[in-house]
Amino acid sequence: MPSKVDMDKIVSLCKRRGFVFPSSEIYGGLASCWDYGPVGVELKRNVKEAWWKAVVHERDDVVGLDTSIMMHPGVWAASGHIDNFTDPLVECKSCHLRWRADAIEGKKCPKCGGELTEPRMFNLMFKTSMGPVEEEANTIYLRPETAQGIFVNFENVVTTSRKKLPLGIAQIGKSFRNEITPGNFIFRTREFEHMEVEYFVRPGTDEKWLDYWVKERFDWYVKLGIKKENLRLRRHGKDELAHYARDCYDIEYLFPMGWSELEGIANRGDFDLTQHAKCSGKELSYHDAEAGEKYVPYVIEPSAGVDRSVLAFLVDAYDEEEVEKEKRTVLHLHPSLAPIKVAVLPLSRNEKLTPLAKEVFKQLCPSFVTDYDDSQSIGRRYRRQDEIGTPFCVTIDFESLEDKQVTIRDRDSLAQIRVPVEGLEKVIAAKLKGEAFDASTLWSTREK
Ligand SMILES: [Zn+2]
């Protein structure tokens, strides 16, 4: 069952308004690589900031980390990625297209019906070499997950943060997977960004903490505006669990191509710390002073993709509405995710309006991402702001010069209120925090 929103419409809006462009477009693009444009980069930053705020800053049991993408190759041997991070690959003997054997039905090439080779295991890690000499000994890998950077720093973080277990370590960063079949716009790409927490707990409490994080992460998407009916939980069957996982849930979203994974929350047990202790020779255990025992912690891992979250927020916010017999496309993005919070729009480019409009912009821009736009008709400018999800537009007209008041237009209700320029910043701040937008103040403030 696909969602009501067409992927083509999302891709086209993203291109038209500057959310996402094809990578290296002037050279014809590079398969499944995408660039975030001026409003896309703001949306993506906001998604990451909302996540960091929720899992790090608003808690006292999680700290942050930023580890390097290139790591000692021993890490990937210990984690099992060199041996197990593979997909079964088949190649068509006629058209030479490659497919994931477990993702196609039947024994023929889905493109041309040709005969397929026997499946061989294909490692999804990108290999490169470090230093000026290209030889086997210098082979390193681009990380396929940020998690391992956290595991190998477990000891450092526990020692320096002075925290007790349960303790989470959070990281946001790029990961790379040489997917055989990427696709669906920014949903599955070979270079992408991860938002991961490794939450270390005492063995025996792991099941409780898995349930806790599943709920916590599910609610995060709802709080940021994703409709509940477009989200669902799916527990992994025993046969589909990754080599390190004891249990795993996916939070799935109803994307245009159907229900697909948005985030996985796995119980990794003590697999990673045990492996790294064994392979590095360093003891990685925790001394629990309260319980008077020493153990290797279990870990619960909520692992989300930034790019697919961005896509989910875009799809969920997308709407086409009829307003005064005119069609408008609008993104009902949560204010904290909206790329631009407020747009300052002088009614026209008339030189009398410009100084006051600039004054308004100067008042707002230190507090909010503010756009200043004075070209084209006001109607077209409203439409642009609606399409990028700007919650509020502030219009400066000729009356503003007399009464020093401006009009604020609400993206969702289209209600307008008239408020004094002085103190406008406070009004916008309150509205962004969710204060009701009461159009009746339009007249009351005017008459004063
Ligand atoms: Zn073929």
Side-chain angles (χ1 to χ4, degrees):
M1 181 178 65
S3 76
K4 283 172 282 181
V5 184
D6 206 311
M7 187 75 97
D8 291 344
K9 282 187 174 171
I10 299 291
V11 176
S12 145
L13 173 74
C14 282
K15 176 84 206 288
R16 184 167 81 243
R17 293 306 189 188
F19 281 98
V20 179
F21 308 124
S23 163
S24 335
E25 195 181 10
I26 59 169
Y27 287 95
L30 180 65
S32 297
C33 292
W34 303 92
D35 298 339
Y36 287 81
V39 292
V41 68
E42 298 292 341
L43 173 60
K44 195 182 184 193
R45 284 172 53 124
N46 292 341
V47 168
K48 289 189 278 186
E49 267 167 41
W51 183 89
W52 194 264
K53 191 163 175 276
V55 307
V56 183
H57 290 166
E58 292 179 352
R59 310 180 58 104
D60 64 357
D61 58 348
V62 180
V63 293
L65 191 67
D66 184 13
T67 69
S68 94
I69 287 172
M70 297 184 288
M71 300 178 76
H72 190 288
V75 169
W76 307 113
S79 69
H81 282 84
I82 289 178
D83 289 337
N84 297 317
F85 197 57
T86 52
D87 275 339
L89 172 86
V90 290
E91 189 176 324
C92 171
K93 287 179 181 169
S94 350
C95 75
H96 298 287
L97 275 179
R98 290 171 167 193
W99 306 91
R100 252 177 74 172
D102 56 347
I104 57 172
E105 283 174 38
K107 293 206 176 314
K108 299 280 177 208
C109 169
K111 178 85 185 291
C112 75
E115 201 187 325
L116 298 172
T117 59
E118 283 299 308
R120 68 177 175 89
M121 293 318 268
F122 172 77
N123 196 292
L124 300 186
M125 282 197 294
F126 278 95
K127 240 189 220 181
T128 184
S129 68
M130 192 175 227
V133 189
E134 254 187 74
E135 57 181 41
E136 196 63 22
N138 297 334
T139 295
I140 58 158
Y141 303 89
L142 302 185
R143 67 178 178 200
E145 59 177 29
T146 66
Q148 298 306 325
I150 296 176
F151 293 124
V152 300
N153 276 290
F154 173 72
E155 192 73 29
N156 285 334
V157 175
V158 169
T159 314
T160 56
S161 68
R162 302 171 51 76
K163 300 262 185 197
K164 293 193 178 79
L165 257 54
L167 170 65
I169 306 175
Q171 171 157 234
I172 298 178
K174 292 258 183 173
S175 293
F176 303 83
R177 295 180 180 184
N178 200 1
E179 300 278 356
I180 298 168
T181 43
N184 287 316
F185 193 34
I186 52 174
F187 177 80
R188 192 184 304 282
T189 51
R190 294 186 173 112
E191 171 183 346
F192 62 103
E193 236 172 324
H194 253 141
M195 306 187 278
E196 297 187 302
V197 185
E198 304 305 323
Y199 194 77
F200 299 91
V201 305
R202 187 180 173 180
T205 63
D206 46 311
E207 286 173 25
K208 179 188 86 183
W209 283 111
L210 177 65
D211 292 346
Y212 168 87
W213 277 105
V214 167
K215 184 176 183 310
E216 191 71 13
R217 295 301 307 143
F218 191 96
D219 292 348
W220 183 77
Y221 293 101
V222 177
K223 216 170 91 186
L224 286 172
I226 298 233
K227 295 171 204 81
K228 237 179 175 163
E229 65 264 30
N230 292 335
L231 288 169
R232 72 178 188 192
L233 271 182
R234 194 180 68 78
R235 191 176 191 174
H236 282 210
K238 286 266 173 280
D239 55 331
E240 63 175 321
L241 286 174
H243 65 273
Y244 51 75
R246 302 168 69 90
D247 199 356
C248 186
Y249 288 86
D250 281 350
I251 297 173
E252 296 188 331
Y253 178 74
L254 186 55
F255 284 100
M257 65 283 188
W259 289 101
S260 310
E261 182 194 343
L262 189 54
E263 169 161 356
I265 301 112
N267 180 352
R268 294 177 80 127
D270 59 3
F271 177 85
D272 301 273
L273 289 182
T274 303
Q275 281 296 108
H276 286 306
K278 202 167 83 188
C279 300
S280 69
K282 297 271 188 296
E283 194 187 333
L284 296 174
S285 57
Y286 176 72
H287 179 71
D288 192 329
E290 265 162 55
E293 56 178 333
K294 207 160 139 186
Y295 51 79
V296 179
Y298 275 24
V299 69
I300 306 302
E301 177 195 69
S303 170
V306 177
D307 311 82
R308 54 181 66 177
S309 299
V310 166
L311 182 60
F313 285 118
L314 280 171
V315 168
D316 220 75
Y318 186 93
D319 206 2
E320 287 171 10
E321 303 171 345
E322 197 157 306
V323 177
E324 286 153 8
K325 290 183 186 143
E326 264 197 72
K327 228 176 77 170
R328 75 156 179 167
T329 299
V330 56
L331 290 181
H332 296 290
L333 285 170
H334 189 281
S336 67
L337 298 183
I340 289 165
K341 309 301 179 196
V342 50
V344 175
L345 312 174
L347 192 62
S348 71
R349 220 175 227 176
N350 187 294
E351 59 184 26
K352 284 186 183 141
L353 293 177
T354 308
L356 183 60
K358 291 274 183 199
E359 187 192 315
V360 168
F361 177 77
K362 272 209 176 122
Q363 184 193 143
L364 299 180
C365 72
S367 307
F368 322 107
V369 180
T370 308
D371 192 19
Y372 184 93
D373 187 1
D374 64 1
S375 58
Q376 296 185 312
S377 75
I378 191 78
R380 290 183 80 147
R381 281 180 279 158
Y382 279 150
R383 232 161 324 175
R384 172 170 180 271
Q385 298 300 336
D386 286 345
E387 288 197 8
I388 61 175
T390 306
F392 303 112
C393 290
V394 171
T395 315
I396 294 94
D397 55 26
F398 288 99
E399 233 184 302
S400 306
L401 302 176
E402 307 297 318
D403 65 5
K404 293 284 182 283
Q405 298 206 7
V406 290
T407 304
I408 310 177
R409 169 190 181 268
D410 175 41
R411 175 196 70 198
D412 295 340
S413 67
L414 295 169
Q416 305 199 357
I417 55 172
R418 189 111 179 137
V419 299
V421 170
E422 204 189 318
L424 178 64
E425 190 261 11
K426 282 202 178 71
V427 176
I428 300 278
K431 301 290 175 211
L432 284 169
K433 280 198 173 138
E435 185 188 273
F437 205 89
D438 186 358
S440 67
T441 53
L442 175 61
W443 308 110
S444 56
T445 51
R446 254 188 174 178
E447 279 157 17
K448 264 180 211 162

